[in-house]
Amino acid sequence: MADQPWYQRETDDIFKALDTGEQGLTDDQVAQRRAKYGENRLSAKKQSSLLAKFGAQFKDFMIIVLIVAALIAGATGELVDAIIILAVVLLNAVFGVFQESKAEEAINSLKEMAAPMAHVARNGGTVTVKSDELVPGDIVYLEAGDIVPADMRLCTANTMKVEESALTGESVPVQKQAAVLTASDLPLGDRSNMAYMNANVTTGRGTGVVVAIGMQTEVGRIAGMLDAAEETKTPLQENLTQLGKWLTILILAIAVLVFVIGMLRGQETMIDMLLTAISLAVAAIPEGLPAIVTVTLALGTQRMAKRHALIRKLPAVETLGSTDIIASDKTGTLTQNKMTVEQVYENGQLTPAAEAKVTMTDPIALAMVLNNDGQPDGDTLLGDPTETALIQYYIDRNKQPLATIASHPRVAEIPFDSERKLMTTFNETADHQLTQYVKGAPDQLLKRVTRIADRGQVRAITNADREAILATNHDLTTQALRVLAFAYRPVDAVPEKLTSASAEQDLIFIGLIGMIDPERPEVAQAVTEAQAAGIRPIMITGDHKDTAKAIAVRLGILSETPTADDAVITGAELDQLSDEAFAKQVRQYAVYARVAPEHKVRIVHAWQKQGKVVAMTGDGVNDAPALKTADIGVGMGITGTEVSKGASDMVLADDNFSTIVVAVEEGRKVFANIQKSLQYLLSANIGEVLTLFVMTLLGWQILAPVQILWINLVTDTFPAIALGLEPAEPDIMKRKPRGRQSNFFSGGVFANIGYQGVLEGVMTLLVYWLAVTFPVHTSSEMMHADALTMAFATLGLIQLFHAFNSKTIHQSIFKVGLFRNKAFNWAILTAFILLAATIVVPGFNTIFHLTPLNGVQWAVVLSAGIAMILIVEVVKWVQRRLGQE
């Protein structure tokens, strides 16, 4: 019995189990229980100190590589370069701490959501206390407008409805009642005799006994799940980690090999060879890469903010570009989270609500606004969303329904109850004419109808009429519309005994109204664009299966005739599947209905086990764990709770699902641009390493560490950063998602880096050989000085020319536009001036151990740069031809 759910137990049994009663608890009982259960608050795990967070930032492998690079630069006497590298490391660490601190606000927001005050029975009377003072066994009084302060089993419920969308995802408020529910394993949204912490009472009133507080509540359970959720690594972070490890192994191997070869040759001292090995390490490390990645992501963030996508974590920009699955909450994300009149049935005709001709004198209009508890509050309406939607329908058409309500005061009513499923009001006009209006479930109302309104006349209702009405009702419900029937009857006076049996009889049928929480108008197009981009949108909702299916069909998430990979499954059905079975079947399901928070996490995990990159959108408390578990969580900025926003990587400022597609395009562009920068940087570094390695093997003079660092920090970094600003290529949203297995070297980039790096090195060595073989000066010292200067200039200038090649991985640069990117143009010009200054500016060239060159020597260097573009263009043409075959 003790393990029996609260919703299956009688209130007397609950009173006995909790040692309480209708008179409430005494102060002594409250004190004892507070000592036992604690306060009605949501707790969070102990948060790390700022110093601990800061220290954790230096555990990243790439950061360690950078620190080593800074030490190497310092060891060679290049303190400025060492300081710049360390500054990048520190900036990354500070930014990481800031982002981590923001993420911790998710749990804090949950704590702040608790209702501030509660009306409670204590010591035989009624008192108002802070909600965090509640204990199990407290009797709480609820009425319209209240926030439920704890989880409670309802003892009474008078026309009471509670809006639970933040917990269940169901947009329509739930009608509450106090009777026992006998069914087992009921989902949260079907437990009609329970009220849960942080839900909103929209209409009516009731009392309940507190059965759970704090972390034992449903909201607390979600907070615990959110607290325990593991942080997922983004594809970008995984790629950078792999790259850092790969580079470190390569750098160490090359440096040791060169050192050993040099010592075996015996031409250099150990110190000289050590400096040579350090120069190679400096050449191999792309010092600017983390800065370039950070700048590219930050610029992408700014562009996305202008288009209403606010990024909370920088790597999320790139992650969006690799998304395979967008798992979207329905209510408030795909739909508008407000009931809307969609179909009107009267005079035997079904008409779209937008096309229906209505006046406030029509019986159906009077019934809709007079049999209604919606109340104006400034420019808004308060009350049950279904009822406010009926009034709003006429407000939107400038029919002045509020004036009609004021001129037809209600003199009596029979409130709605869940058994008869009807509501009746008696309204009086200015000339004291009395009319009874009834609304409710069509099948129940038809039992009480004897006549029908037909084009301004009233006649006896026929069996054909009843069949047509029921058929229309069936059609509307299969489209997931919520259907209300309306009837009226002129009366002389309100019955003395106001009951359903005495009043709700001999009614005149008016019509039906079909309502739904409609999809956002732009979402269907966004779904189509996502599917064209190879992304699969799936719907996850707490709503009923039929409603979810109908909305999914309207949005294009489901086809009209579902296929094997186009099925709908409920949370209860999902519970019957093991994780292994679900992982095998997950591709079949496009819509998940009636789900709980743990189901959403299972769904995300199942797709991740398939190697898919999952984006999860949501706005409710119930979405937070899945948002945090997903590769990228997308919160809603307007309707989203602070909890869901805090757990998200990205927030949509306009709550517009189509903004996600814009963000995906931006994410793909960011990855493509980082890939271009990486190809450019690593091919340049391979060229530098190959040049130094061969020079060492051949016993030639080698480029000094200061010269390598200058090339790395000037001719490498500026163009690489500018490549991050390249416009998106035209076909970027027609490509398939990269997915989790993809990395920066995918799509032929690895091969490009290899051959382009070798090409740069070979051409630099060729220019050095030409300078030595056909010298301008006769002395050996000047001849080798010229050769070294020409090799330095060639290596730098080739990289500037190669930056143009890197504007696209496979397309011709003459198609994408040579000079469209203004920042790139300025970066190339600046880098060229700084490179040339080391050669032509007196005094400056002395610092860099370089000599001025004549026109012929500059022509040779320039020819090497032009040849770099021409050769790469030919290779790209061959790649495209082979790719088409």
Side-chain angles (χ1 to χ4, degrees):
M1 189 69 174
D3 294 331
Q4 192 176 18
W6 295 112
Y7 62 82
Q8 290 183 332
R9 301 169 74 170
E10 296 282 356
T11 52
D12 289 343
D13 173 52
I14 295 172
F15 286 163
K16 185 177 179 181
L18 296 174
D19 190 20
T20 187
E22 293 180 359
Q23 300 301 309
L25 303 174
T26 65
D27 289 340
D28 288 341
Q29 287 178 305
V30 170
Q32 291 171 6
R33 296 182 189 200
R34 186 168 297 128
K36 180 179 180 180
Y37 297 107
E39 292 189 325
N40 183 29
R41 292 176 179 269
L42 299 177
S43 61
K45 65 182 178 182
K46 186 178 179 181
Q47 297 176 354
S48 304
S49 66
L50 280 176
L51 187 61
K53 291 173 189 169
F54 188 73
Q57 304 301 316
F58 295 93
K59 295 178 182 177
D60 183 80
F61 206 84
M62 196 66 188
I63 295 298
I64 294 172
V65 172
L66 273 179
I67 293 172
V68 171
L71 294 175
I72 291 172
T76 60
E78 299 301 322
L79 294 178
V80 173
D81 300 310
I83 291 169
I84 290 172
I85 296 169
L86 287 174
V88 170
V89 170
L90 290 173
L91 282 173
N92 281 343
V94 169
F95 192 83
V97 170
F98 174 75
Q99 292 298 330
E100 189 177 333
S101 299
K102 290 288 289 181
E104 287 178 348
E105 292 177 3
I107 297 294
N108 295 336
S109 297
L110 271 171
K111 293 171 68 178
E112 292 168 6
M113 284 180 65
M117 305 299 288
H119 306 294
V120 191
R122 292 266 175 92
N123 302 310
T126 303
V127 295
T128 302
V129 300
K130 290 182 179 179
S131 63
D132 56 18
E133 295 178 8
L134 294 178
V135 296
D138 262 325
I139 304 299
V140 178
Y141 300 104
L142 298 171
E143 58 184 28
D146 285 350
I147 298 175
V148 180
D151 284 5
M152 56 184 71
R153 168 70 161 83
L154 295 174
C155 307
T156 65
N158 182 17
T159 66
M160 182 179 175
K161 290 187 179 181
V162 178
E163 194 267 315
E164 299 173 334
S165 64
L167 272 172
T168 66
E170 186 168 359
S171 54
V172 179
V174 178
Q175 183 75 43
K176 294 297 181 180
Q177 51 86 33
V180 170
L181 298 172
T182 57
S184 58
D185 297 324
L186 281 177
L188 215 64
D190 292 337
R191 300 173 192 173
S192 58
N193 59 6
M194 299 290 294
Y196 292 104
M197 187 176 187
N198 289 335
N200 299 303
V201 181
T202 58
T203 57
R205 62 187 63 85
T207 60
V209 55
V210 174
V211 295
I213 63 170
M215 294 301 288
Q216 302 305 310
T217 63
E218 290 295 326
V219 169
R221 192 166 60 85
I222 293 172
M225 291 168 61
L226 187 59
D227 214 3
E230 294 182 5
E231 291 287 347
T232 54
K233 272 197 170 185
T234 68
L236 177 65
Q237 291 168 322
E238 291 174 352
N239 283 180
L240 287 177
T241 299
Q242 289 174 352
L243 178 60
K245 291 178 180 177
W246 182 80
L247 282 177
T248 301
I249 294 169
L250 183 65
I251 290 164
L252 290 175
I254 292 173
V256 170
L257 183 62
V258 167
F259 180 78
V260 171
I261 291 172
M263 293 304 296
L264 290 175
R265 286 177 59 86
Q267 292 182 352
E268 305 286 349
T269 65
M270 182 179 290
I271 296 298
D272 288 337
M273 284 315 305
L274 183 61
L275 287 174
T276 299
I278 288 172
S279 297
L280 272 171
V282 170
I285 295 172
E287 293 91 345
L289 180 59
I292 289 161
V293 170
T294 301
V295 168
T296 303
L297 291 174
L299 292 171
T301 298
Q302 291 177 8
R303 287 191 294 269
M304 291 170 75
K306 292 177 182 177
R307 302 177 78 173
H308 309 295
L310 310 178
I311 298 298
R312 297 186 65 254
K313 300 174 184 177
L314 272 187
V317 180
E318 183 275 330
T319 308
L320 272 165
S322 60
T323 299
D324 297 284
I325 306 294
I326 298 178
S328 179
D329 178 51
K330 178 184 77 71
T331 306
T333 308
L334 298 173
T335 64
Q336 299 175 29
N337 198 19
K338 63 177 183 181
M339 295 301 290
T340 304
V341 176
E342 183 156 299
Q343 297 285 343
V344 178
Y345 177 81
E346 60 175 339
N347 301 320
Q349 298 292 322
L350 183 65
T351 310
E355 299 173 12
K357 296 179 180 179
V358 294
T359 66
M360 288 315 301
T361 58
D362 292 339
I364 196 166
L366 292 169
M368 287 168 67
V369 302
L370 298 179
N371 187 317
N372 198 309
D373 287 331
Q375 297 291 328
D377 180 30
D379 294 332
T380 61
L381 293 168
L382 296 180
D384 181 276
T386 300
E387 296 199 317
T388 57
L390 297 174
I391 299 175
Q392 190 66 46
Y393 174 68
Y394 292 99
I395 291 177
D396 292 342
R397 284 153 185 77
N398 298 315
K399 299 301 181 182
Q400 311 301 321
L402 299 181
T404 300
I405 294 171
S407 64
H408 293 70
R410 185 182 303 180
V411 296
E413 67 179 286
I414 305 175
F416 178 90
D417 70 53
S418 56
E419 289 185 9
R420 78 183 207 287
K421 298 180 181 179
L422 297 173
M423 173 180 174
T424 292
T425 63
F426 293 84
N427 298 79
E428 190 175 40
T429 62
D431 56 0
H432 305 294
Q433 290 185 350
L434 198 61
T435 305
Q436 173 188 350
Y437 294 100
V438 184
K439 76 175 177 195
D443 57 335
Q444 294 298 318
L445 187 138
L446 277 176
K447 294 177 183 177
R448 296 160 170 82
V449 164
T450 58
R451 292 169 289 170
I452 186 170
D454 186 3
R455 293 175 175 79
Q457 304 296 317
V458 175
R459 61 174 174 81
I461 193 167
T462 65
N463 288 333
D465 292 328
R466 293 180 186 276
E467 289 174 4
I469 293 166
L470 291 173
T472 302
N473 176 52
H474 175 74
D475 289 343
L476 294 177
T477 54
T478 56
Q479 297 172 45
L481 270 67
R482 186 181 186 192
V483 183
L484 288 176
F486 293 87
Y488 78 107
R489 182 178 65 157
V491 294
D492 296 327
V494 176
E496 291 184 12
K497 190 175 182 181
L498 198 56
T499 64
S500 177
S502 65
E504 293 173 341
Q505 302 295 331
D506 193 29
L507 301 176
I508 303 168
F509 179 82
I510 307 172
L512 304 174
I513 294 293
M515 310 176 72
I516 199 169
D517 175 12
E519 69 275 17
R520 293 176 175 273
E522 69 282 343
V523 170
Q525 178 62 29
V527 167
T528 301
E529 290 176 15
Q531 291 167 337
I535 300 166
R536 183 176 181 182
I538 63 175
M539 178 194 289
I540 303 178
T541 177
D543 238 334
H544 290 282
K545 189 172 184 176
D546 289 342
T547 304
K549 183 177 180 181
I551 291 291
V553 169
R554 289 164 66 151
L555 292 175
I557 293 174
L558 280 180
S559 58
E560 292 281 355
T561 53
T563 63
D565 293 336
D566 208 16
V568 184
I569 187 172
T570 65
E573 292 167 339
L574 184 56
D575 285 334
Q576 305 303 312
L577 296 175
S578 66
D579 287 342
E580 293 75 18
F582 180 44
K584 292 177 182 178
Q585 299 177 28
V586 68
R587 294 175 183 271
Q588 298 177 17
Y589 305 115
V591 175
Y592 297 82
R594 222 69 182 135
V595 296
E598 56 268 27
H599 293 138
K600 298 184 179 185
V601 175
R602 276 190 74 191
I603 294 163
V604 171
H605 275 313
W607 278 112
Q608 288 173 331
K609 287 178 182 176
Q610 298 287 321
K612 302 297 184 182
V613 177
V614 183
M616 166 74 193
T617 74
D619 62 348
V621 176
N622 60 324
D623 297 318
L627 289 171
K628 194 170 182 181
T629 302
D631 296 286
I632 176 162
V634 183
M636 300 293 124
I638 299 172
T639 60
T641 60
E642 288 304 310
V643 184
S644 63
K645 286 186 276 189
S648 299
D649 303 291
M650 181 177 89
V651 176
L652 302 182
D654 57 357
D655 282 16
N656 190 332
F657 183 85
S658 62
T659 303
I660 299 173
V661 178
V662 171
V664 167
E665 181 180 357
E666 190 63 44
R668 290 188 175 189
K669 183 174 80 172
V670 164
F671 180 87
N673 286 350
I674 291 175
Q675 202 173 36
K676 293 169 187 175
S677 297
L678 188 67
Q679 175 178 291
Y680 171 69
L681 279 176
L682 292 187
S683 59
N685 285 16
I686 287 175
E688 293 165 14
V689 170
L690 182 64
T691 300
L692 289 176
F693 184 62
V694 173
M695 282 179 165
T696 303
L697 286 178
L698 298 177
W700 293 353
Q701 284 190 352
I702 65 171
L703 296 171
V706 65
Q707 295 168 340
I708 293 296
L709 279 169
W710 188 255
I711 288 175
N712 277 6
L713 294 172
V714 174
T715 61
D716 281 10
T717 306
F718 290 154
I721 289 175
L723 283 169
L725 294 169
E726 280 295 303
E729 294 181 39
D731 66 339
I732 200 160
M733 285 301 283
K734 296 178 183 176
R735 303 170 187 171
K736 291 183 178 180
R738 298 191 321 276
R740 188 170 294 281
Q741 301 306 315
S742 173
N743 57 48
F744 287 120
F745 300 112
S746 300
V749 172
F750 185 79
N752 288 352
I753 289 171
Y755 92 80
Q756 290 167 7
V758 169
L759 186 59
E760 287 187 32
V762 168
M763 294 182 71
T764 303
L765 291 167
L766 179 62
V767 169
Y768 184 95
W769 178 81
L770 287 172
V772 172
T773 306
F774 306 101
V776 173
H777 298 91
T778 55
S779 71
S780 176
E781 183 180 351
M782 287 300 295
M783 179 178 67
H784 284 94
D786 282 353
L788 204 61
T789 301
M790 288 178 70
F792 169 81
T794 300
L795 193 57
L797 200 61
I798 276 181
Q799 291 180 11
L800 295 184
F801 276 93
H802 184 48
F804 285 94
N805 288 328
S806 300
K807 288 165 76 73
T808 173
I809 303 296
H810 295 298
Q811 294 299 316
S812 169
I813 57 172
F814 301 106
K815 279 191 175 182
V816 299
L818 282 173
F819 305 108
R820 281 200 306 164
N821 184 347
K822 292 182 180 179
F824 180 84
N825 301 337
W826 282 108
I828 294 294
L829 181 61
T830 302
F832 175 75
I833 291 171
L834 290 172
L835 178 70
T838 60
I839 299 172
V840 301
V841 176
F844 205 40
N845 53 20
T846 304
I847 296 173
F848 285 88
H849 317 295
L850 299 170
T851 58
L853 301 177
N854 64 23
V856 173
Q857 290 170 320
W858 274 113
V860 171
V861 170
L862 188 62
S863 297
I866 294 172
M868 185 71 193
I869 286 183
L870 296 177
I871 293 170
V872 172
E873 277 291 303
V874 170
V875 174
K876 284 183 181 179
W877 180 82
V878 172
Q879 288 175 334
R880 290 195 300 273
R881 295 285 293 181
L882 292 175
Q884 292 171 1
E885 294 177 359

